[in-house]
């Protein structure tokens, strides 16, 4: 018999719900960020980003992440803000939909979430390999936690479904 989320008091299930909250919050913030890029005048967010990065990491002449975004935008013949908005909106929508499916305990969502979160983790790993940022490292640690919790919860849900009811 499959336990509902209200009856399951195990550490794994609680950690799974915490990880979904974190990933859902991350997705919502990315959605809001993507909308903000469209809402503000061009250049406004770029100035805010430059101020924030100078505040957080100091003045550096070379920022590999910013250079990557600029190069990608130019190769797609679009402005940087449009590329950032598309990136944020796509990531946010994917995360929110995956978290919603996991909250509904849809069995097919577990492998989809592992693929989606795994691809996002790969991007974080690539970004970290280009240049170390504590923020990216923390996001990677959160992603590892979320992926681990999804795997453990998926195993538990599948085992619960195979039990005679």
């Amino acid at each position: 018999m499959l336990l509902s989320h209200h009856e399951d008091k195990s550490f794994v299930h609680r950690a799974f719900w915490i990880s979904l909250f974190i990933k859902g919050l991350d997705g919502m913030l990315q959605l809001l960020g993507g909308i903000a890029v469209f809402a503000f005048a061009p250049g406004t967010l770029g100035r805010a980003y430059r101020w924030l990065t100078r505040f957080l990491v100091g003045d550096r002449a070379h920022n590999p992440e910013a250079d990557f975004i600029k190069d990608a935008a130019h190769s797609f013949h679009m402005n940087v803000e449009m590329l950032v908005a598309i990136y944020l909106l796509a990531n946010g929508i994917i995360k929110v939909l995956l978290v919603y499916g996991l909250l509904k305990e849809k069995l097919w969502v577990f492998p989809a979430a592992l693929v989606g979160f795994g691809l996002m983790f790969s991007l974080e790993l690539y970004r970290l390999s280009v240049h170390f940022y504590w923020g990216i490292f923390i996001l990677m640690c959160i992603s590892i936690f979320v992926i681990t919790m999804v795997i453990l919860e998926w195993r538990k849900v599948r085992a619960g479904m195979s039990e005679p009811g």
Side-chain angles (χ1 to χ4, degrees):
M1 179 171 149
L2 184 62
L3 291 175
S4 77
H5 59 83
H6 298 294
E7 298 170 5
D8 191 347
K9 303 290 186 202
S10 68
F11 170 78
V12 169
H13 191 72
R14 288 180 182 185
F16 172 71
W17 279 83
I18 291 169
S19 74
L20 290 185
F21 173 77
I22 292 168
K23 200 53 100 170
L25 181 62
D26 180 35
M28 289 302 296
L29 290 173
Q30 285 184 330
L31 272 172
L32 292 174
I35 292 168
V37 171
F38 283 126
F40 291 103
T44 303
L45 293 176
R47 287 188 295 278
Y49 173 77
R50 284 189 295 280
W51 176 84
L52 184 63
T53 55
R54 263 195 310 261
F55 176 74
L56 294 174
V57 296
D59 286 323
R60 275 201 299 241
H62 180 66
N63 182 333
E65 192 169 53
D67 292 342
F68 173 77
I69 292 170
K70 285 179 196 169
D71 292 342
H74 293 297
S75 69
F76 288 113
H77 304 292
M78 59 177 39
N79 67 29
V80 173
E81 278 124 354
M82 180 64 75
L83 183 66
V84 169
I86 291 168
Y87 171 81
L88 289 172
L89 289 170
N91 264 347
I93 290 168
I94 290 168
K95 286 177 186 174
V96 167
L97 289 176
L98 289 173
V99 167
Y100 178 77
L102 290 168
L103 288 171
K104 293 293 186 180
E105 296 181 338
K106 302 289 184 190
L107 198 56
W108 67 269
V109 178
F110 286 90
L114 291 176
V115 169
F117 295 154
L119 288 173
M120 291 173 200
F121 176 78
S122 299
L123 180 60
E124 292 164 357
L125 187 61
Y126 169 75
R127 290 169 62 194
L128 197 64
S129 72
V130 170
H131 193 271
F132 184 85
Y133 288 102
W134 278 105
I136 300 298
F137 179 74
I138 291 167
L139 287 175
M140 283 181 59
C141 292
I142 291 170
S143 292
I144 290 169
F145 173 69
V146 170
I147 290 168
T148 302
M149 292 300 103
V150 169
I151 291 169
L152 294 174
E153 186 70 10
W154 185 26
R155 287 181 182 166
K156 208 165 71 166
V157 168
R158 280 193 328 211
M161 293 180 111
S162 65
E163 291 177 4

